[in-house]
Amino acid sequence: MAVSCGLASGAMAQVVNDCDWQSAAANLAEPWEDNTRTFSEGRVRLALIDTWEPASAAFHILVLSPPDDELGIRQCKMISQTSSLGFTGIEFSMLEARYDPAIGLIFQVPGFEYANDGIDNTPIGLEFTLNQATGAITVEKFLNRE
């Protein structure tokens, strides 16, 4: 599946934050077995988070991954539309992953972002990379997915 057609230049930019109350197990989107996936022999886990509110921007992507801290606990990050809003929707069943030794894990997933008017939500594609050695996560948003 090709997710991207053009880079978005909209005012809202996606962010990667440390996990907080939004990442609680109670917010894992149901059914869990359809909304979580593992990679790298189980060291990396992605999960769809549904915080219910605000209803128009309640979906986030949880990333559990190396590097581990001094206790052996993986880092926990959340990918969101902004620091306070999630996405209107994430089509988690369409998540694709590949590995590039020069970059790391590369993920693509289609979704929708909240439009300022609250009516016409914009279809988007997200591509994010994970460098397991450093823990760096970068996210790009694309419009007009195919």
Side-chain angles (χ1 to χ4, degrees):
M1 171 187 94
V3 172
S4 60
C5 271
L7 248 183
S9 59
M12 291 192 190
Q14 53 292 328
V15 297
V16 178
N17 289 317
D18 290 332
C19 290
D20 58 14
W21 67 269
Q22 296 167 328
S23 61
N27 291 332
L28 286 171
E30 295 281 357
W32 289 8
E33 60 273 12
D34 294 341
N35 292 304
T36 184
R37 299 222 349 236
T38 60
F39 305 89
S40 296
E41 299 177 357
R43 294 295 306 140
V44 173
R45 178 176 297 276
L46 301 182
L48 183 62
I49 297 294
D50 181 356
T51 59
W52 296 88
E53 291 292 335
S56 58
F59 294 95
H60 308 260
I61 299 172
L62 172 76
V63 181
L64 297 173
S65 71
D68 298 349
D69 67 13
E70 59 279 353
L71 297 175
I73 300 170
R74 295 176 285 182
Q75 74 171 355
C76 184
K77 301 289 183 180
M78 295 280 285
I79 298 173
S80 305
Q81 183 173 323
T82 71
S83 59
S84 60
L85 293 175
F87 298 95
T88 302
I90 296 290
E91 296 179 27
F92 199 80
S93 65
M94 298 180 75
L95 175 74
E96 292 187 349
R98 67 184 190 281
Y99 178 72
D100 181 331
I103 298 170
L105 285 168
I106 303 166
F107 302 97
Q108 289 184 328
V109 65
F112 297 88
E113 73 178 0
Y114 178 74
N116 287 330
D117 64 10
I119 299 168
D120 297 318
N121 293 306
T122 307
I124 59 164
L126 292 175
E127 180 173 283
F128 55 100
T129 63
L130 167 63
N131 180 320
Q132 294 179 71
T134 65
I137 298 172
T138 60
V139 185
E140 291 185 58
K141 174 184 68 179
F142 298 91
L143 295 178
N144 302 324
R145 63 185 174 135
E146 294 182 342

